[in-house]
Amino acid sequence: MSDIPCSDFVEEKVRDIIYLNRNIINHSVYYNEEDEIMNITLNYRDFTVLMKYGDSLFEGFSFIENDDSDKTLLTKFIFPFSKIPYSIYDVHNAVNDDVFITYDFHCLYDEDAIGRAFDTVIDFVNRNEKTISAINSDALLKEKLENSFNRGLKIASKKITRDKINENPKKYLQNHDIDLYFLRLGEEAFTDFITNNDIRGIRKFYSKKMKKDALLPYEQRFYDHLTENNFIMQNAAFVREVKAQKKEAKKDERKYTLVFLCGFVITLALQIGLGIYSENRLEENYFLLRELSLDVNIAFIISVIGLILASVFPVEYFSSLKNKSTKKELSKKDKKIYSVLTVIGIAVFVLATTYSYFDCQKTVGLGENDIYYCQKIGRAQMLSYDEVRLYLIEGQYYGDEYSDNDEDKQIIVVKGDDYENYFISDYLTEVDMPNSYRDSLDYDGKFTSPEDFCNAFGV
């Protein structure tokens, strides 16, 4: 049994196509289990159709699709006069077909969508078979095919030349296919136009690309088609298909927005809990000179990211169970990737949370017989009062004015003679230190302000 998602359905679909299309001379279906790809070959009299089906193939022109990649169906044509396989869009340009829809599919969410994708490709071949066959002998059609390919090469793959492709077709054609995929990935002008009638957005897109001479032939012909039809989409079925894809994409967006929010809330609650626990534990024996704080620092952000990564596999797994009726399967490759992400996510979350736990314990506390001293993560020390020096800061300068009110007083703690790394407390009223306790401490000196302290010790 194959690990390729919906492979049984695809093979049955191919059998149906062969049965219904007697002009297909022979065919083959090859399973590449390592890459989780099915290569389907349909041999017609004058050309061959190559169909590649698999999971998340980042190649081939992505026209009017959302930027999520799911199950993929790509189609190319081989002619006797060339070793180079031409994309279905190149052939579309050559035969001047007037049905402008998606022909390379990257967002096939279920078996119904897969079936419609195969039907779309076969419908294209059937209505243009005579003209496609004529490419072999018609110089003008052949020239249009070559021009379409070369133009796509120029727009999408500026570093790949036709000579390089002739030297190493397998390597450079694959690179070019990847470039084509990413060329318009995430571009929303087309989908916004089709789903929301955003004429201004599609005009803006075309204006920008035309100025840079950066339109693919298919895009240019689609624009000409829209202009002739006053920017009214005539194909209602295609509009419904694009809306359905966008709806599926929105589901994924909402799903991962919820994952992010849950990760954020869980991490925040955990870190606040750790902070409260650390503070309560220390306050049992020490008067803390600085409140433990949990700023949204890099460790917190990393913890959230780790939790999100760890959540990907269970989220996708339960999502696939929820969508069993639509046969939305996880491929073996997906399971491997998600498993690795889960392990990495758990490791990142644990390490970042552990770091945060020790980070929030960085403070100084005054005890009855000793001092809790921690300035570096994981290096808490219990020091005797003989090992430290205490200094009282009696006030603050605010411009030229001086204030020695209770809310302006602080304590500086110096470990040994390490004045460079002195510790200064929060304002004593902020840590709720009673005046009686403040006055009962044995100080090694008093200063009018922190600046006076620094000047006295050259720090």
Side-chain angles (χ1 to χ4, degrees):
M1 185 177 177
S2 174
D3 291 317
I4 302 172
C6 304
S7 58
D8 291 341
F9 173 81
V10 171
E11 192 156 347
E12 184 179 343
K13 185 66 180 178
V14 171
R15 285 196 294 268
D16 290 342
I17 290 171
I18 301 304
Y19 177 77
L20 295 171
N21 294 269
R22 299 301 182 182
N23 45 356
I24 298 175
I25 299 171
N26 54 61
H27 79 286
S28 65
V29 178
Y30 171 71
Y31 285 82
N32 182 343
E33 294 292 349
E34 184 177 350
D35 296 326
E36 296 190 19
I37 292 172
M38 290 176 69
N39 291 299
I40 302 148
T41 303
L42 306 178
N43 292 307
Y44 291 76
R45 190 182 68 177
D46 299 305
F47 59 89
T48 299
V49 177
L50 301 177
M51 306 176 84
K52 182 193 281 189
Y53 168 80
D55 189 68
S56 301
L57 304 179
F58 302 112
E59 54 187 272
F61 180 42
S62 184
F63 178 71
I64 312 186
E65 294 180 308
N66 61 67
D67 54 1
D68 271 331
S69 185
D70 213 279
K71 288 174 277 293
T72 307
L73 179 66
L74 309 174
T75 304
K76 290 197 173 186
F77 289 72
I78 291 182
F79 297 91
F81 61 82
S82 176
K83 294 180 180 179
I84 295 175
Y86 296 91
S87 77
I88 191 169
Y89 291 106
D90 289 330
V91 176
H92 191 285
N93 295 328
V95 302
N96 204 30
D97 187 88
D98 61 358
V99 180
F100 291 91
I101 56 178
T102 300
Y103 288 101
D104 273 345
F105 304 88
H106 303 84
C107 307
L108 304 176
Y109 293 95
D110 53 36
E111 288 184 353
D112 288 341
I114 295 169
R116 290 193 299 272
F118 274 95
D119 290 339
T120 297
V121 173
I122 297 303
D123 287 346
F124 168 77
V125 176
N126 287 344
R127 69 174 176 267
N128 294 287
E129 184 181 356
K130 187 179 291 187
T131 312
I132 296 172
S133 296
I135 292 176
N136 286 304
S137 55
D138 191 313
L140 181 60
L141 289 175
K142 193 180 298 183
E143 182 182 2
K144 290 172 69 175
L145 183 70
E146 287 290 322
N147 288 343
S148 177
F149 177 84
N150 291 332
R151 177 69 176 170
L153 190 63
K154 178 183 176 182
I155 299 300
S157 306
K158 301 185 185 302
K159 295 183 180 181
I160 300 176
T161 63
R162 191 61 182 265
D163 290 338
K164 286 184 177 180
I165 290 176
N166 291 334
E167 290 173 10
N168 192 338
K170 184 177 180 181
K171 174 184 176 182
Y172 289 108
L173 280 174
Q174 184 175 20
N175 290 343
H176 174 51
D177 283 340
I178 294 171
D179 291 339
L180 279 171
Y181 174 78
F182 286 104
L183 180 66
R184 299 289 184 249
L185 185 66
E187 177 57 61
E188 297 182 352
F190 292 106
T191 49
D192 287 345
F193 164 67
I194 293 173
T195 57
N196 300 319
N197 197 33
D198 184 8
I199 297 176
R200 182 175 177 273
I202 197 71
R203 286 184 183 275
K204 185 178 179 181
F205 167 82
Y206 272 111
S207 176
K208 181 180 177 181
K209 297 302 177 185
M210 284 176 178
K211 286 179 182 178
K212 296 181 179 180
D213 190 28
L215 283 176
L216 296 172
Y218 190 79
E219 292 173 326
Q220 179 64 61
R221 292 178 57 242
F222 181 58
Y223 179 74
D224 295 339
H225 171 78
L226 292 178
T227 305
E228 291 172 6
N229 291 278
N230 297 317
F231 284 84
I232 298 173
M233 286 297 297
Q234 305 290 335
N235 193 329
F238 181 54
V239 173
R240 288 194 297 270
E241 189 75 28
V242 175
K243 287 182 176 180
Q245 284 184 2
K246 194 167 185 178
K247 186 178 179 180
E248 287 290 341
K250 289 293 183 183
K251 286 182 182 178
D252 279 346
E253 286 178 16
R254 288 194 293 270
K255 179 171 64 180
Y256 281 102
T257 299
L258 182 62
V259 170
F260 172 78
L261 290 175
C262 290
F264 184 88
V265 171
I266 291 171
T267 305
L268 182 62
L270 179 62
Q271 295 212 7
I272 290 175
L274 290 174
I276 293 173
Y277 168 76
S278 298
E279 188 170 45
N280 290 341
R281 184 173 62 85
L282 290 172
E283 284 182 337
E284 290 178 1
N285 300 302
Y286 300 97
F287 193 99
L288 301 183
L289 296 181
R290 181 181 293 167
E291 288 187 346
L292 300 183
S293 62
L294 282 171
D295 298 328
V296 181
N297 54 23
I298 189 66
F300 174 81
I301 295 171
I302 291 174
S303 293
V304 174
I305 293 172
L307 193 58
I308 291 172
L309 288 176
S311 303
V312 170
F313 191 16
V315 166
E316 290 295 338
Y317 177 73
F318 286 112
S319 178
S320 68
L321 292 180
K322 185 179 178 182
N323 291 282
K324 258 188 173 180
S325 60
T326 58
K327 306 291 185 183
K328 187 171 182 179
E329 303 177 29
L330 283 182
S331 68
K332 189 176 181 180
K333 181 169 67 175
D334 281 340
K335 290 177 181 177
K336 287 180 180 178
I337 293 172
Y338 294 151
S339 297
V340 171
L341 288 177
T342 299
V343 173
I344 292 174
I346 292 173
V348 168
F349 178 75
V350 170
L351 290 173
T353 303
T354 302
Y355 176 91
S356 296
Y357 171 69
F358 287 106
D359 183 52
C360 70
Q361 296 180 38
K362 288 195 304 182
T363 187
V364 172
L366 304 179
E368 185 176 347
N369 300 310
D370 61 359
I371 293 176
Y372 172 86
Y373 188 91
C374 183
Q375 290 283 66
K376 294 181 180 180
I377 290 177
R379 295 191 180 182
Q381 295 175 288
M382 308 305 173
L383 305 175
S384 68
Y385 277 90
D386 293 336
E387 295 178 273
V388 301
R389 301 178 188 276
L390 299 181
Y391 298 93
L392 178 65
I393 303 300
E394 297 182 305
Q396 304 287 328
Y397 282 101
Y398 299 97
D400 295 330
E401 296 185 6
Y402 179 74
S403 172
D404 60 355
N405 295 327
D406 287 342
E407 59 265 23
D408 298 310
K409 300 185 187 306
Q410 293 174 285
I411 291 175
I412 286 179
V413 181
V414 178
K415 179 184 172 184
D417 293 321
D418 187 11
Y419 284 91
E420 289 287 338
N421 297 305
Y422 68 88
F423 169 88
I424 186 166
S425 72
D426 292 340
Y427 293 113
L428 299 185
T429 53
E430 291 181 0
V431 295
D432 298 325
M433 179 179 284
N435 291 347
S436 57
Y437 182 79
R438 178 194 70 203
D439 296 337
S440 69
L441 295 173
D442 187 13
Y443 297 104
D444 291 275
K446 298 181 180 181
F447 293 90
T448 56
S449 69
E451 291 79 13
D452 290 341
F453 168 84
C454 292
N455 291 332
F457 295 101
V459 294

